[in-house]
Amino acid sequence: MKNIETLHWVGKQDGCLRMIDQTRLPLEFVEIECRDVEAVWEAVKMLRVRGAPAIGIAAAYGVCVGLQTVSNCQDEADFFGRLDEVTDYLATSRPTAVNLFWALERMKETAGQFRGKKSPAEIAAILLAEAKAIHQEDRRICRAMGRHGAKLLADGSGVLTHCNTGGLATADYGTALAVIFAAAESGKRLRVYADETRPLLQGARLTTWELMQRGIDVTLICDSMAAWVMREGRVQAVITGADRIAANGDAANKIGTYGLALSAAAHDIPFYVAAPASTFDLSLADGGAIPIEQRDPAEVTHGFGRQTAPDGVEVYNPAFDVTPARLIHTLISEHGLIRPVTREKIAETIAPTPAA
Ligand code: MRU
């Protein structure tokens, strides 16, 4: 099957960022074009593009879109002032996935290397090439995670996953879903249980869609069914992605992941997390300092256009939770498997990456 191109740059330097509007899937396949940095910000905030690596790639292209207003200016200070403005602005879109800050930092560092040596127009061109490089690297990284992780899944096993971690959440192929795709491509027969993933239903809307497109056996369950499905013996492995992993291995991911890890431990089922090096935030000693995004209560009370709770009800809507490292059997990165999940093993596998 053709890989999903969740986002891509269209045209030359004065082009734009085109992406699948993931809020419309699976009923409609619609692409939108972001022609200014406000449109990129809005697309990230509203989850038109989502998933940690895809957010990072979108932010890198967002910098290029944002710089179009100054790429022909002669004044270097104006250009770098705008670069700060654009990166600071994009950094306010979503707080948890560190890939966003990693990508913005990489773009700023790249620009900084050429300050005083090249014109704004030349630096803008270098930055577009850098955004494309981040995008292209992610394709290779996803394949590598798939290769390393595939050996963890036995033929005939049931695999439970949460949220969406596939081609839609990355340049293509995915993180946790890459492992499932690679295992399936190597001939293993898997039955995937996809959590619905309340409140925004990334599992129901996106993961089942991706798995069905690839002909992988997938069964949709409500989040509240996961423990029972494990108890029934249907699941031999749980695998998720992550939005930020601290130096000790504590991993933030979509709300509900922590509960899955606890259930997996209670049933002696290995819990795996697949994430690229750009998702590790080695500046944080543990998961306690990971910022957790709080989202609009309407996502809980008025999901998908229908009111499902009384007017005025108090709502708590954290978008992520943190799974302690002790519950993670193995971290799967593009550099290989990390187990046991310890600070030392992480440090030796993951090269330090700039963080927020
Ligand atoms: O709010 P989302 O849909 O951006 O959350 C995404 C997740 O939690 C994914 O599991 C995570 O980004 C890792 S996958 C690439």
Side-chain angles (χ1 to χ4, degrees):
M1 146 196 167
K2 189 179 171 304
N3 290 324
I4 295 165
E5 202 168 30
T6 194
L7 76 182
H8 61 278
W9 185 261
V10 181
K12 301 210 167 81
Q13 197 66 43
D14 59 354
C16 68
L17 173 60
R18 184 181 293 166
M19 62 176 73
I20 300 172
D21 182 348
Q22 298 187 36
T23 64
R24 311 277 287 270
L25 287 170
L27 299 185
E28 296 170 291
F29 186 96
V30 176
E31 288 186 305
I32 54 168
E33 290 187 347
C34 299
R35 297 186 173 275
D36 54 41
V37 68
E38 288 77 14
V40 177
W41 187 95
E42 193 271 350
V44 172
K45 180 78 187 168
M46 301 312 291
L47 276 57
R48 299 186 199 289
V49 60
R50 29 102 6 239
I55 292 172
I57 299 163
Y61 285 128
V63 171
C64 303
V65 173
L67 286 174
Q68 283 169 342
T69 54
V70 289
S71 52
N72 288 322
C73 77
Q74 301 303 320
D75 190 322
E76 186 185 86
D78 283 353
F79 181 85
F80 277 90
R82 175 70 180 159
L83 177 62
D84 285 342
E85 188 178 83
V86 164
T87 51
D88 288 351
Y89 173 61
L90 287 168
T92 63
S93 57
R94 295 191 74 189
T96 304
V98 76
N99 306 62
L100 173 79
F101 307 98
W102 170 86
L104 293 174
E105 203 50 49
R106 179 160 156 181
M107 296 295 278
K108 277 177 82 166
E109 264 179 35
T110 302
Q113 283 167 23
F114 296 97
R115 189 167 191 154
K117 299 183 188 129
K118 296 211 179 268
S119 69
E122 287 168 326
I123 299 175
I126 290 167
L127 288 178
L128 179 57
E130 189 68 10
K132 288 181 177 173
I134 290 172
H135 193 177
Q136 184 56 28
E137 279 166 26
D138 193 59
R139 291 191 177 95
R140 288 197 300 272
I141 287 168
C142 289
R143 296 282 161 174
M145 282 187 285
R147 263 197 320 278
H148 292 305
K151 44 178 127 31
L152 299 171
L153 303 182
D155 185 27
S157 55
V159 183
L160 193 146
T161 190
H162 193 64
C163 198
N164 172 266
T165 62
L168 289 167
T170 57
D172 78 339
Y173 212 55
T175 56
L177 286 197
V179 172
I180 290 171
F181 295 149
E185 281 161 21
S186 76
K188 291 179 185 166
R189 288 152 305 145
L190 305 173
R191 162 160 287 193
V192 179
Y193 289 91
D195 270 356
E196 192 176 36
T197 317
R198 280 274 292 156
L200 294 180
L201 306 185
Q202 290 93 329
R205 295 186 301 105
L206 310 175
T207 297
T208 58
W209 183 77
E210 279 197 46
L211 290 166
M212 288 169 80
Q213 293 222 347
R214 287 181 183 268
I216 293 175
D217 181 342
V218 57
T219 301
L220 174 64
I221 59 170
C222 300
D223 302 343
S224 51
M225 298 170 187
W228 183 246
V229 167
M230 291 185 205
R231 170 92 178 135
E232 287 183 321
R234 296 172 189 268
V235 173
Q236 283 67 49
V238 179
I239 181 161
T240 73
D243 287 80
R244 194 185 291 229
I245 302 176
N248 72 337
D250 292 351
N253 191 50
K254 179 55 54 194
I255 191 77
T257 305
Y258 175 39
L260 282 183
L262 288 169
S263 292
H267 295 94
D268 265 329
I269 298 168
F271 181 84
Y272 303 121
V273 173
S278 54
T279 298
F280 286 74
D281 183 350
L282 302 182
S283 74
L284 301 183
D286 59 47
I290 297 178
I292 300 294
E293 179 181 15
Q294 303 294 325
R295 291 191 62 89
D296 188 346
E299 291 178 350
V300 178
T301 57
H302 293 69
F304 302 93
R306 180 155 179 264
Q307 184 169 349
T308 53
D311 284 332
V313 67
E314 205 58 50
V315 173
Y316 180 48
N317 186 19
F320 298 95
D321 57 28
V322 178
T323 298
R326 68 182 157 77
L327 295 176
I328 303 172
H329 182 286
T330 305
L331 290 168
I332 303 157
S333 81
E334 70 271 36
H335 303 304
L337 302 181
I338 303 176
R339 69 177 174 210
V341 178
T342 60
R343 194 179 300 278
E344 297 68 36
K345 194 84 187 147
I346 290 170
E348 83 194 32
T349 314
I350 303 294
T353 51

